[in-house]
Amino acid sequence: RRTMATDEFVPLPQLADVDGYRPTTFDYDPPAGSKDPKGGIPPGKSEWVDVFRKSIPEFRKRAAADPRVPEAASLADRFADDFSSALDRIHAGDHADLFEGQPTVLKMCRLRDETLRSLGFTDCFKDVKATENERALTVLPAVLAEIDAIADAKDRLLALIQGAFAGNIFDLGAAASAKLHEDGGGDFRSTRARLRSRPWLVDDFDSLHQAWTADGATGGELASTWRKCVMFVDNSGADIVLGMLPIARELAR
């Protein structure tokens, strides 16, 4: 986080182990023979670079239509070229002057953002974010009513977490999500209904429920054992409005 007095970043004081904290929790360039928790082959650097490469057309389209940037169309083309070249270098391992250490999603997201900002695009998704906020707010009362109608505490918590998953899929910076949105198939309820059933690839839900409640028992209210909670959320749309606000509301009960 930034300090109030300076522009310097300092570690979040609430971190239990500052030195051991990793903001990215898996290897983005796993050694040969690595397996994911279900025994499959985890994605490697090539696959992650491809994810970012596939995002370029959507970012170029949004940047080209940014009314706040003069000559947006030509600058959007330049962004696409510059970021594509940077991805080529990352894939080849020639990224020492782009960022420190090995590539991660966090570093590649930051690099994409820096490339846009260097050309004057401070937020090329600003207009669509405002639209998505308005749409999500119209759906929120019905989503909260659905949550409140679930009597069993563990089932209600599961519905809240599924809502967070569904909201997180609304990422127009991701090629697949942008295509879903463009085709009209990205509404919150249909996205939530298509989620994979448990067990998930990484599934700590039972531990979360145990930690959330005093005794981990089912039935009744979710009696949070915490007095304070810091939530890290996206800044707009279904992700925060339909995914995270219901969880914050449940914590505040």
Side-chain angles (χ1 to χ4, degrees):
R1 69 181 178 93
R2 288 186 188 273
T3 61
M4 295 292 290
T6 72
D7 286 334
E8 294 182 0
F9 283 97
V10 298
L12 184 71
Q14 287 80 4
L15 285 174
D17 180 9
V18 173
D19 293 333
Y21 173 71
R22 292 183 60 200
T24 50
T25 55
F26 52 91
D27 193 344
Y28 290 85
D29 196 10
S34 299
K35 301 291 184 182
D36 64 29
K38 287 192 172 182
I41 300 174
K45 182 170 66 175
S46 295
E47 287 81 8
W48 283 112
V49 167
D50 191 50
V51 167
F52 278 85
R53 200 181 299 281
K54 287 179 178 177
S55 77
I56 290 176
E58 182 67 18
F59 275 82
R60 173 164 48 189
K61 181 179 77 172
R62 299 291 177 181
D66 192 334
R68 293 165 289 275
V69 179
E71 301 181 9
S74 61
L75 289 173
D77 288 339
R78 181 175 166 187
F79 154 75
D81 292 340
D82 289 352
F83 188 56
S84 181
S85 296
L87 291 176
D88 289 340
R89 293 181 56 191
I90 293 170
H91 188 264
D94 179 26
H95 48 71
D97 62 336
L98 298 178
F99 46 73
E100 293 183 9
Q102 294 302 307
T104 67
V105 163
L106 182 62
K107 293 174 185 177
M108 287 189 278
C109 280
R110 184 179 296 144
L111 179 62
R112 182 174 59 192
D113 185 62
E114 290 171 349
T115 305
L116 285 164
R117 288 178 181 274
S118 70
L119 296 169
F121 299 105
T122 56
D123 187 355
C124 60
F125 287 86
K126 182 176 182 178
D127 296 332
V128 72
K129 285 177 181 178
T131 300
E132 290 304 309
N133 280 342
E134 293 174 3
R135 290 178 179 173
L137 285 169
T138 63
V139 179
L140 180 60
V143 170
L144 294 178
E146 291 174 5
I147 297 295
D148 291 345
I150 302 174
D152 183 84
K154 191 170 185 179
D155 289 343
R156 188 161 67 255
L157 180 58
L158 179 60
L160 288 164
I161 298 304
Q162 289 172 327
F165 288 167
N168 192 250
I169 290 174
F170 281 69
D171 181 0
L172 295 182
S177 297
K179 182 66 166 61
L180 188 67
H181 182 274
E182 187 176 293
D183 293 344
D187 67 280
F188 180 78
R189 285 191 177 87
S190 65
T191 301
R192 187 177 58 189
R194 288 195 297 268
L195 292 173
R196 294 181 179 180
S197 58
R198 297 185 66 201
W200 304 314
L201 181 61
V202 177
D203 193 334
D204 295 318
F205 176 76
D206 292 330
S207 297
L208 171 64
H209 175 249
Q210 188 74 30
W212 191 305
T213 57
D215 57 8
T218 58
E221 291 300 316
L222 285 168
S224 170
T225 59
W226 305 303
R227 294 181 60 84
K228 296 180 180 180
C229 178
V230 178
M231 300 180 73
F232 296 89
V233 302
D234 208 336
N235 62 2
S236 67
D239 197 342
I240 183 171
V241 177
L242 303 179
M244 300 309 295
L245 277 180
I247 294 178
R249 174 175 176 260
E250 193 73 41
L251 280 166
R253 286 185 171 184

